[in-house]
mmCIF file of all heavy atoms in Angstrom:
data_model
loop_
_atom_site.group_PDB
_atom_site.id
_atom_site.type_symbol
_atom_site.label_atom_id
_atom_site.label_comp_id
_atom_site.label_asym_id
_atom_site.label_seq_id
_atom_site.Cartn_x
_atom_site.Cartn_y
_atom_site.Cartn_z
ATOM 1 N N VAL A 32 111.498 93.892 108.055
ATOM 2 C CA VAL A 32 112.883 94.248 108.380
ATOM 3 C C VAL A 32 113.042 95.764 108.560
ATOM 4 O O VAL A 32 113.539 96.202 109.604
ATOM 5 C CB VAL A 32 113.862 93.656 107.349
ATOM 6 C CG1 VAL A 32 115.266 94.209 107.530
ATOM 7 C CG2 VAL A 32 113.861 92.124 107.446
ATOM 8 N N ILE A 36 113.980 97.880 111.993
ATOM 9 C CA ILE A 36 115.162 98.741 112.052
ATOM 10 C C ILE A 36 114.790 100.170 112.414
ATOM 11 O O ILE A 36 115.370 100.742 113.345
ATOM 12 C CB ILE A 36 115.947 98.697 110.721
ATOM 13 C CG1 ILE A 36 116.589 97.318 110.540
ATOM 14 C CG2 ILE A 36 117.014 99.795 110.684
ATOM 15 C CD1 ILE A 36 117.217 97.091 109.186
ATOM 16 N N ILE A 40 115.237 99.855 116.306
ATOM 17 C CA ILE A 40 116.685 99.952 116.476
ATOM 18 C C ILE A 40 117.147 101.397 116.315
ATOM 19 O O ILE A 40 117.796 101.947 117.194
ATOM 20 C CB ILE A 40 117.420 99.015 115.489
ATOM 21 C CG1 ILE A 40 117.038 97.548 115.770
ATOM 22 C CG2 ILE A 40 118.934 99.213 115.570
ATOM 23 C CD1 ILE A 40 117.494 96.549 114.730
ATOM 24 N N SER A 51 125.932 100.504 109.716
ATOM 25 C CA SER A 51 125.286 99.832 110.845
ATOM 26 C C SER A 51 123.892 99.346 110.454
ATOM 27 O O SER A 51 123.495 98.225 110.797
ATOM 28 C CB SER A 51 125.210 100.773 112.041
ATOM 29 O OG SER A 51 124.646 100.116 113.146
ATOM 30 N N ALA A 52 123.155 100.179 109.740
ATOM 31 C CA ALA A 52 121.820 99.786 109.279
ATOM 32 C C ALA A 52 121.905 98.571 108.358
ATOM 33 O O ALA A 52 121.086 97.649 108.469
ATOM 34 C CB ALA A 52 121.146 100.953 108.566
ATOM 35 N N LEU A 53 122.903 98.557 107.478
ATOM 36 C CA LEU A 53 123.066 97.418 106.557
ATOM 37 C C LEU A 53 123.425 96.140 107.312
ATOM 38 O O LEU A 53 122.986 95.050 106.930
ATOM 39 C CB LEU A 53 124.115 97.738 105.496
ATOM 40 C CG LEU A 53 123.706 98.796 104.473
ATOM 41 C CD1 LEU A 53 124.885 99.185 103.584
ATOM 42 C CD2 LEU A 53 122.518 98.325 103.639
ATOM 43 N N LYS A 54 124.188 96.255 108.380
ATOM 44 C CA LYS A 54 124.516 95.081 109.207
ATOM 45 C C LYS A 54 123.263 94.537 109.887
ATOM 46 O O LYS A 54 123.035 93.330 109.920
ATOM 47 C CB LYS A 54 125.581 95.431 110.245
ATOM 48 C CG LYS A 54 126.964 95.597 109.669
ATOM 49 C CD LYS A 54 127.965 96.007 110.732
ATOM 50 C CE LYS A 54 129.305 96.319 110.090
ATOM 51 N NZ LYS A 54 130.266 96.872 111.051
ATOM 52 N N HIS A 55 122.457 95.445 110.424
ATOM 53 C CA HIS A 55 121.198 95.024 111.049
ATOM 54 C C HIS A 55 120.288 94.377 110.007
ATOM 55 O O HIS A 55 119.660 93.346 110.280
ATOM 56 C CB HIS A 55 120.479 96.209 111.700
ATOM 57 C CG HIS A 55 121.073 96.650 112.988
ATOM 58 N ND1 HIS A 55 121.012 95.895 114.139
ATOM 59 C CD2 HIS A 55 121.757 97.776 113.310
ATOM 60 C CE1 HIS A 55 121.617 96.533 115.118
ATOM 61 N NE2 HIS A 55 122.089 97.681 114.648
ATOM 62 N N GLU A 56 120.222 94.985 108.838
ATOM 63 C CA GLU A 56 119.389 94.448 107.763
ATOM 64 C C GLU A 56 119.835 93.042 107.375
ATOM 65 O O GLU A 56 118.999 92.136 107.246
ATOM 66 C CB GLU A 56 119.441 95.382 106.553
ATOM 67 C CG GLU A 56 118.581 94.912 105.399
ATOM 68 C CD GLU A 56 118.687 95.823 104.193
ATOM 69 O OE1 GLU A 56 119.802 96.276 103.865
ATOM 70 O OE2 GLU A 56 117.636 96.076 103.579
ATOM 71 N N ALA A 57 121.132 92.835 107.206
ATOM 72 C CA ALA A 57 121.650 91.512 106.835
ATOM 73 C C ALA A 57 121.302 90.470 107.902
ATOM 74 O O ALA A 57 120.912 89.340 107.578
ATOM 75 C CB ALA A 57 123.160 91.583 106.624
ATOM 76 N N LYS A 58 121.415 90.852 109.152
ATOM 77 C CA LYS A 58 121.096 89.941 110.262
ATOM 78 C C LYS A 58 119.596 89.605 110.274
ATOM 79 O O LYS A 58 119.210 88.447 110.395
ATOM 80 C CB LYS A 58 121.535 90.571 111.577
ATOM 81 C CG LYS A 58 121.345 89.693 112.786
ATOM 82 C CD LYS A 58 121.837 90.396 114.044
ATOM 83 C CE LYS A 58 121.527 89.582 115.281
ATOM 84 N NZ LYS A 58 121.879 90.294 116.516
ATOM 85 N N LEU A 59 118.771 90.642 110.153
ATOM 86 C CA LEU A 59 117.322 90.431 110.203
ATOM 87 C C LEU A 59 116.811 89.667 108.980
ATOM 88 O O LEU A 59 115.847 88.900 109.093
ATOM 89 C CB LEU A 59 116.600 91.774 110.328
ATOM 90 C CG LEU A 59 116.759 92.488 111.667
ATOM 91 C CD1 LEU A 59 116.251 93.920 111.582
ATOM 92 C CD2 LEU A 59 116.053 91.723 112.783
ATOM 93 N N ASN A 60 117.438 89.857 107.828
ATOM 94 C CA ASN A 60 117.012 89.150 106.614
ATOM 95 C C ASN A 60 117.180 87.644 106.726
ATOM 96 O O ASN A 60 116.571 86.899 105.958
ATOM 97 C CB ASN A 60 117.775 89.668 105.393
ATOM 98 C CG ASN A 60 117.187 90.942 104.845
ATOM 99 O OD1 ASN A 60 116.003 91.219 105.004
ATOM 100 N ND2 ASN A 60 118.024 91.741 104.202
ATOM 101 N N LYS A 61 117.987 87.187 107.661
ATOM 102 C CA LYS A 61 118.205 85.747 107.848
ATOM 103 C C LYS A 61 117.140 85.097 108.732
ATOM 104 O O LYS A 61 117.063 83.883 108.819
ATOM 105 C CB LYS A 61 119.585 85.502 108.446
ATOM 106 C CG LYS A 61 120.711 85.858 107.504
ATOM 107 C CD LYS A 61 122.056 85.645 108.143
ATOM 108 C CE LYS A 61 123.159 86.079 107.187
ATOM 109 N NZ LYS A 61 124.480 85.938 107.794
ATOM 110 N N LEU A 62 116.330 85.927 109.381
ATOM 111 C CA LEU A 62 115.329 85.393 110.304
ATOM 112 C C LEU A 62 114.098 84.889 109.557
ATOM 113 O O LEU A 62 113.741 85.402 108.507
ATOM 114 C CB LEU A 62 114.914 86.473 111.311
ATOM 115 C CG LEU A 62 116.012 87.041 112.204
ATOM 116 C CD1 LEU A 62 115.428 88.077 113.162
ATOM 117 C CD2 LEU A 62 116.738 85.946 112.967
ATOM 118 N N THR A 63 113.460 83.901 110.144
ATOM 119 C CA THR A 63 112.199 83.396 109.603
ATOM 120 C C THR A 63 111.072 84.355 109.977
ATOM 121 O O THR A 63 111.247 85.234 110.838
ATOM 122 C CB THR A 63 111.860 82.020 110.193
ATOM 123 O OG1 THR A 63 111.652 82.168 111.608
ATOM 124 C CG2 THR A 63 112.967 81.004 109.928
ATOM 125 N N GLN A 66 110.459 84.262 113.660
ATOM 126 C CA GLN A 66 111.467 84.988 114.421
ATOM 127 C C GLN A 66 111.278 86.500 114.302
ATOM 128 O O GLN A 66 111.485 87.235 115.269
ATOM 129 C CB GLN A 66 112.869 84.582 113.952
ATOM 130 C CG GLN A 66 113.218 83.150 114.315
ATOM 131 C CD GLN A 66 114.462 82.656 113.606
ATOM 132 O OE1 GLN A 66 114.727 82.991 112.446
ATOM 133 N NE2 GLN A 66 115.237 81.824 114.299
ATOM 134 N N LEU A 67 110.891 86.967 113.120
ATOM 135 C CA LEU A 67 110.614 88.394 112.944
ATOM 136 C C LEU A 67 109.425 88.827 113.796
ATOM 137 O O LEU A 67 109.445 89.891 114.414
ATOM 138 C CB LEU A 67 110.368 88.714 111.466
ATOM 139 C CG LEU A 67 111.598 88.607 110.554
ATOM 140 C CD1 LEU A 67 111.175 88.650 109.087
ATOM 141 C CD2 LEU A 67 112.608 89.699 110.870
ATOM 142 N N LYS A 70 110.643 89.252 117.239
ATOM 143 C CA LYS A 70 111.334 90.538 117.412
ATOM 144 C C LYS A 70 110.336 91.672 117.592
ATOM 145 O O LYS A 70 110.509 92.531 118.457
ATOM 146 C CB LYS A 70 112.224 90.846 116.213
ATOM 147 C CG LYS A 70 113.548 90.178 116.231
ATOM 148 C CD LYS A 70 114.489 91.000 117.069
ATOM 149 C CE LYS A 70 115.880 90.437 116.953
ATOM 150 N NZ LYS A 70 116.677 90.651 118.144
#
Side-chain angles (χ1 to χ4, degrees):
V32 170
I36 291 172
I40 298 170
S51 183
L53 290 172
K54 286 177 186 173
H55 284 291
E56 181 182 41
K58 184 179 174 185
L59 290 168
N60 278 334
K61 293 178 183 178
L62 300 181
T63 64
Q66 292 168 324
L67 291 168
K70 278 276 187 210

